[in-house]
Amino acid sequence: MRITRVRLFEVRLPLVHRFQTSSHAKSTLDHILIEVIDADGRVGWGEIASPAGPFYCSETTSTAWDICVNFLLPTVLDADWDHPEQVDALWSRIRGHEFAKAGLVGAAWDLWCRAEGVPLGAALGGTRDRVRAGVSLGIEATIDDLLTQVAHQVEAGYHRVKLKIGHGWDIEPVRAVRGAFPDLDLHVDANGVYASDDQTLDHLAELDAFGLTMIEQPFAPRDLLGHARLQRRIGTDVCLDESVVDLHDLELMIALAAGRVLNIKVSRMGGLTVARAAHDMARDAGIPVWCGGMHEFGIGRAANVAISSLPGFTLPSDVSGSDKYYARDVITPPVIARDGWVEVPAAPGLGYQVDVEWVKANTLRSFDSAEV
Ligand code: OSB
Ligand code: MG
């Protein structure tokens, strides 16, 4: 296959509910949607779901735009490849910028799957026709507000709730939610805000009392040793997110026993091809995985649903329905969760139609390789 033209759209959508983590807060998101077009006029879509600011990782929407336009696209345009697995090799000299790479390789997967007439999930090796979804809830102004949010999502049928925690918002909100929902599959995510000193290890060990499924990324991304110390200290499973951006990180996590669960984020790991390889490696090591989200619009969300259909994704993924995030998504139909399950589409590629008019109506800036 040969991609001969690429269009980028930086699209802003408002979130239906403001989201706050230990590292940042947001009410709107600016994601870059990528349309790749081949010599026969076939198209594929991908999404760069980078946050606007460098608080989750070092990338931003602007760096992703720059890297995509000036470094990734020149390696991809007019290059020949037979399978999307080969696309990462085109930019092997470009370090980092996983979110930008994920958007472009995702578009290549969609293009190839549509050309071959196969659904993305099956092309990746998926074995399920529906996946279990959980929701991620931000830090709220009060514990009552949080309880309202949890009740709302439990009522909607979601199978697991994850709570964002941080300094001053950890033990007490968890105690309150656990008290009100004794049987809920509950876990917490600190987005790396804590220091891994002895006093903090003691503090986090208090969470063992609440029967959490896991504690996600308590310490800084590169603090693998801190996570290994915590995992030795507590009974609750430690899950890594920000710490694992490539397969070497995952090998290190396994070798150090720095956690017992892996959050595979397609964006954080540079796209579907690496994410699938991480799934395989984790599976061989006996580490259960689930698919994390970055509040993706429908295009990235559909890719997350597809990879969540692989057999090692045994825990609920952050693939909630579009309506949890956006009043109107960029795909039709939107992603729908029923009783906490999301269907894996059987149609070719991502399995959804991109609403190009809605994309254009919300575009802040665009780029077309045919116009340069
Ligand atoms: O750590 O999982 C995270 C959103 C932005 C930055 C980091 C994270 C998140 C989420 C979103 O938890 C989950 C979702 O997309 O549903
Ligand atoms: Mg996380």
Side-chain angles (χ1 to χ4, degrees):
M1 300 206 73
R2 204 149 43 85
I3 294 169
T4 54
R5 182 180 174 194
V6 178
R7 296 202 293 174
L8 305 182
F9 304 88
E10 185 178 323
V11 173
R12 173 168 296 175
L13 291 184
L15 278 169
V16 295
H17 187 75
R18 181 178 182 274
F19 191 80
Q20 184 173 341
T21 73
S22 65
S23 57
H24 63 300
K26 54 197 178 184
S27 325
T28 63
L29 282 95
D30 301 345
H31 288 180
I32 300 168
L33 303 181
I34 305 178
E35 183 188 32
V36 297
I37 304 161
D38 81 352
D40 298 319
R42 292 178 293 214
V43 306
W45 285 90
E47 175 173 340
I48 301 178
S50 173
F55 309 112
Y56 168 79
C57 67
S58 60
E59 286 184 87
T60 72
T61 315
S62 312
T63 67
W65 186 274
D66 173 45
I67 293 296
C68 195
V69 169
N70 295 311
F71 295 96
L72 298 175
L73 290 191
T75 72
V76 168
L77 279 165
D78 297 317
D80 281 306
W81 46 273
D82 299 318
H83 192 278
E85 282 167 0
Q86 298 159 358
V87 170
D88 287 345
L90 299 171
W91 52 63
S92 60
R93 293 188 317 120
I94 299 171
R95 292 203 170 126
H97 302 285
E98 287 80 14
F99 278 72
K101 291 171 179 172
L104 199 47
V105 77
W109 272 96
D110 183 38
L111 171 68
W112 182 84
C113 287
R114 289 189 206 218
E116 296 288 316
V118 294
L120 178 60
L124 290 165
T127 52
R128 298 194 190 99
D129 57 10
R130 59 176 195 164
V131 301
R132 213 185 263 279
V135 292
S136 170
L137 298 182
I139 294 170
E140 295 286 338
T142 67
I143 287 181
D144 274 350
D145 290 346
L146 179 65
L147 289 169
T148 305
Q149 288 298 318
V150 176
H152 179 67
Q153 302 302 344
V154 168
E155 214 156 284
Y158 285 106
H159 297 260
R160 176 273 282 157
V161 170
K162 122 170 164 186
L163 307 179
K164 293 292 181 180
I165 59 166
H167 297 293
W169 183 266
D170 45 27
I171 310 295
E172 290 319 314
V174 170
R175 188 193 310 282
V177 172
R178 178 49 89 212
F181 301 90
D183 302 320
L184 182 62
D185 178 349
L186 188 66
H187 92 244
V188 294
D189 183 2
N191 288 104
V193 76
Y194 296 101
S196 59
D197 51 56
D198 288 343
Q199 197 187 340
T200 305
L201 261 54
D202 289 344
H203 178 67
L204 293 176
E206 291 180 42
L207 290 169
D208 266 348
F210 303 111
L212 302 176
T213 317
M214 65 190 96
I215 169 166
E216 182 179 343
Q217 198 69 43
F219 309 133
R222 306 194 75 175
D223 190 4
L224 276 297
L225 290 175
H227 287 96
R229 265 200 307 278
L230 180 68
Q231 186 64 95
R232 284 197 300 274
R233 171 90 168 69
I234 64 174
T236 307
D237 288 349
V238 172
C239 169
L240 296 186
D241 176 355
E242 286 91 329
S243 288
V244 179
V245 307
D246 64 19
L247 298 178
H248 298 297
D249 292 336
L250 179 53
E251 278 188 292
L252 196 56
M253 169 187 175
I254 294 166
L256 295 174
R260 300 195 195 114
V261 177
L262 177 66
N263 168 346
I264 292 184
K265 265 185 199 166
V266 174
S267 298
R268 189 195 71 227
M269 302 212 66
L272 287 165
T273 311
V274 181
R276 184 180 58 176
H279 159 274
D280 297 347
M281 186 183 280
R283 212 176 168 214
D284 290 345
I287 292 189
V289 306
W290 56 283
C291 178
M294 293 301 299
H295 294 151
E296 282 84 353
F297 301 173
I299 294 167
R301 182 167 307 281
N304 290 348
V305 170
I307 200 159
S308 298
S309 72
L310 270 64
F313 285 79
T314 53
L315 296 160
S317 290
D318 277 341
V319 290
S320 347
S322 299
D323 62 329
K324 176 181 178 279
Y325 312 85
Y326 306 107
R328 180 171 166 188
D329 205 339
V330 299
I331 53 165
T332 52
V335 173
I336 293 168
R338 282 197 188 86
D339 288 328
W341 293 94
V342 175
E343 265 177 51
V344 182
L350 292 169
Y352 291 89
Q353 277 318 112
V354 174
D355 184 346
V356 180
E357 289 319 305
W358 188 239
V359 168
K360 287 184 178 162
N362 292 282
T363 290
L364 303 173
R365 60 172 159 167
S366 58
F367 167 87
D368 186 343
S369 68
E371 287 169 9
V372 289

